[in-house]
Every structure is written in structure tokens, then in C-alpha cells.
Amino acid sequence: MKLVGKIPNAIVKLSTLERLDFGNNSIRGTIPNKIGRLKKLRKLDLDINQLTGSLPMSLFDLRNLTWLDLDTNELTGTITGRFRRLINVEVVSLYGNNFSGSLPDMKASQAWIN
């Protein structure tokens, strides 16, 4: 059974959440603007959904994030140097979206999938 609908804005109230995995569902809409309030989040997996819009600025406040998988959605916008703020990220997967630009140079230990 697949999850259907939008990511509820109230999810940002789960302040101790470390892993958010809604991958391979039928989630639509946008990533909540205040996703950056999930300060303990280490893994964000929203791949293979129907997400639209651009990446919220607060996403780049997730300093504990090590895994970011947003591939195969309908996300848009420009990839910028803000990705450098994700200082602990090891894996990023963004393919299958409508982004422009390229990922910035990152530290050698980070593995980028684009």
C-alpha cells in the first residue's frame, strides 16, 4: 500500500525525528517550508513521488543530515552553493527532477549522485 497525499506541515513538530522515509509512494505537493526545524534529521528520503516546487531554504539548515534522496519527483529550481551548508551530507540523489545548475564542489568525503 502506498501513501497518498501531501506531507503535513505538522511533521516539523517532531523535533527528535532522525529519519524521514516516504520514498516510493504517491506523495504530492511541496516539501514543507519549515523542514529545517527537524534539527536531528539524519536521513531524508522522498524519492519516487510526485513532489513539486523548489527546495525550501530551511532544508539547508539540516546540519546533521547525512542522506538526502529526492530523485524521481517533479522538483524545480536552481542548484546553488547552499548545498555546502549540509556539512555532514554523504549522499545526495537529485536525478529525475527539473533542476538547473550544478552541485558545488564539496569536501572529498562526500559522494554526490546527480
Side-chain angles (χ1 to χ4, degrees), residues 32-97:
N33 284 331
K34 297 179 181 175
I35 192 91
R37 289 186 179 177
L38 298 175
K39 300 294 184 190
K40 295 188 178 192
L41 198 63
R42 298 183 59 74
K43 181 176 182 177
L44 179 59
D45 187 346
L46 301 174
D47 72 326
I48 313 172
N49 279 290
Q50 298 158 15
L51 294 170
T52 58
S54 59
L55 301 179
M57 299 302 280
S58 72
L59 177 75
F60 303 102
D61 294 334
L62 297 173
R63 303 297 164 93
N64 289 316
L65 200 64
T66 60
W67 183 284
L68 177 62
D69 190 350
L70 302 175
D71 73 67
T72 318
N73 279 286
E74 299 168 24
L75 297 167
T76 58
T78 302
I79 302 298
T80 68
R82 289 186 187 96
F83 275 88
R84 286 188 194 104
R85 292 173 55 194
L86 300 175
I87 57 175
N88 290 308
V89 76
E90 296 173 2
V91 175
V92 174
S93 182
L94 301 174
Y95 69 88
N97 286 288

